[in-house]
């Protein structure tokens, strides 16, 4: 998959079959669109092109009102899309100036001039241009003039897509990991660097890898304890473990911690990049009266996690 970040240096595309969207999560609904893209490209012997935006349009158009929580960072989105046989991913810098293009200018100066599309695949309610004034009706009107084919993603599928993204976020925020993973089509993951903590886990007999995520917009699931799989660069296969997401109420903590305990593991992995796949929810965060009760519960959590991951 070729990745393009500069619109002024796009290659000459061969019968480009394009679709446009944020593709956050690259979930099962998105993969339906990718299948449509690939089928259309195979029919006309063209190239598949996904056009996406960075930053997320809502961050530019509605800054500070409703913080964006991403299922996938840009790098994660690129990685996931690269597994699906896409020829080109075009990452468009989303700016106020770009958002103020009229719908006609968006079509002519952006889509037609830059991509010369053979086929455009678009949802029935997709809007574009200043004040979202353009949509399917404009594309249908200009289709014969510019000679592109138009494939509409039906209403029901689009509704499934929007519900899917929203539902995944809601499920993660409620700790419903099984539903989120089912809708994603893979296990939701967090990726970050292992940083030094206060070594409290080690004192309790449960040393943890404290994760720092590179992008604060990444959605973090509900506070609680989870069964996880951990991917490390030096290890061919994922390791098993348990993770705490929360503020450590037993110690009257206030800052959010992502603490992963890897079973039967003692290597020094500070400053290393790790990926944690969240497999199953075990319980909510809880404040214990004393350290002994906490350790007893941690023993139970580990046993449950091992059984879940067996």
């Amino acid at each position: 998959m070729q990745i393009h970040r500069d619109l002024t240096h796009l290659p000459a595309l061969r019968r480009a079959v394009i679709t446009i969207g944020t593709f956050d999560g690259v979930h099962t609904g998105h993969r339906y669109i990718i299948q449509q893209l690939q089928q259309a490209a195979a029919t006309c012997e063209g190239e598949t092109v996904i056009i996406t935006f960075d930053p997320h349009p809502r961050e530019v158009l509605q800054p500070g009102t409703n913080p964006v929580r991403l299922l996938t960072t840009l790098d994660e989105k690129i990685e996931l899309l690269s597994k699906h046989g896409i020829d080109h991913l075009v990452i468009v810098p989303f700016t106020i100036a770009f958002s103020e293009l009229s719908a006609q200018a968006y079509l002519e100066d952006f889509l037609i001039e830059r991509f010369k599309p053979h086929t455009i695949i678009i949802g029935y309610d997709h809007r574009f241009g200043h004040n979202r004034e353009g949509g399917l009706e404009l594309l249908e009107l200009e289709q014969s003039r510019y000679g592109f084919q138009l494939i509409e993603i039906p209403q029901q599928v689009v509704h499934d897509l929007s519900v899917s993204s929203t539902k995944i976020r809601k499920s993660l925020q409620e700790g419903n990991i099984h539903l989120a993973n089912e809708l994603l089509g893979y296990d939701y993951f967090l990726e970050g660097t292992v940083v030094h903590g206060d070594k409290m886990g080690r004192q309790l007999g449960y040393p943890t890898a404290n994760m720092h995520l590179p992008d604060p917009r990444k959605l973090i699931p509900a506070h609680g304890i989870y069964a996880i799989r951990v991917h490390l660069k030096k290890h061919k296969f994922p390791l098993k473990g348990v993770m705490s997401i929360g503020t450590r109420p037993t110690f009257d903590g206030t800052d959010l911690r992502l603490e992963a305990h890897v079973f039967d593991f003692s290597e020094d992995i500070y400053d290393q990049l790790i990926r944690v796949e969240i497999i199953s929810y075990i319980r909510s965060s809880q404040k214990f009266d004393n350290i002994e009760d906490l350790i007893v519960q941690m023993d139970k959590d580990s046993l449950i996690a091992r059984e879940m991951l067996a």
Side-chain angles (χ1 to χ4, degrees), residues 233-280:
K233 215 168 192 179
K234 284 167 43 179
H235 290 259
K236 187 175 181 181
F237 300 105
L239 307 172
K240 299 173 182 178
V242 64
M243 184 173 210
S244 168
I245 297 176
T247 58
R248 303 190 304 166
T250 301
F251 302 101
D252 298 320
T254 55
D255 57 322
L256 178 64
R257 300 285 185 97
L258 307 174
E259 300 176 300
H261 170 70
V262 184
F263 297 143
D264 312 313
F265 183 81
S266 59
E267 294 177 25
D268 183 345
I269 54 172
Y270 287 117
D271 301 320
Q272 288 188 34
L273 191 68
I274 67 169
R275 173 172 293 189
V276 170
E277 292 177 344
I278 302 180
I279 307 303
S280 192

Side-chain angles (χ1 to χ4, degrees), residues 64-116:
T65 54
N66 184 17
V68 173
R69 288 291 174 259
L70 300 175
L71 298 173
T72 43
T73 66
L74 180 59
D75 286 342
E76 291 166 359
K77 187 195 302 186
I78 290 170
E79 177 194 331
L80 290 169
L81 286 172
S82 71
K83 296 176 180 177
H84 292 285
I86 301 299
D87 295 315
H88 301 273
L89 175 65
V90 181
I91 302 165
V92 178
F94 195 89
T95 62
I96 290 292
F98 183 82
S99 75
E100 290 176 347
L101 282 176
S102 69
Q104 195 70 36
Y106 179 98
L107 173 60
E108 294 176 355
D109 301 337
F110 176 58
L111 291 184
I112 302 300
E113 183 178 329
R114 300 291 187 191
F115 300 97
K116 299 175 177 56

Side-chain angles (χ1 to χ4, degrees), residues 26-47:
V26 194
H27 54 63
T28 51
H30 293 135
R31 291 202 280 284
Y32 173 85
I33 293 178
I34 291 171
Q35 289 169 5
Q36 301 301 302
L37 200 68
Q38 291 170 328
Q39 288 173 14
T43 300
C44 70
E45 297 184 343
E47 295 182 282

Side-chain angles (χ1 to χ4, degrees), residues 172-173 175 220-226 245-247 256 281 283-285:
L172 290 169
Q173 289 166 334
I220 296 171
H223 291 195
I225 310 300
Y226 297 87
I245 297 176
T247 58
L256 178 64
Y281 178 84
R283 64 173 176 87
S284 62
S285 293

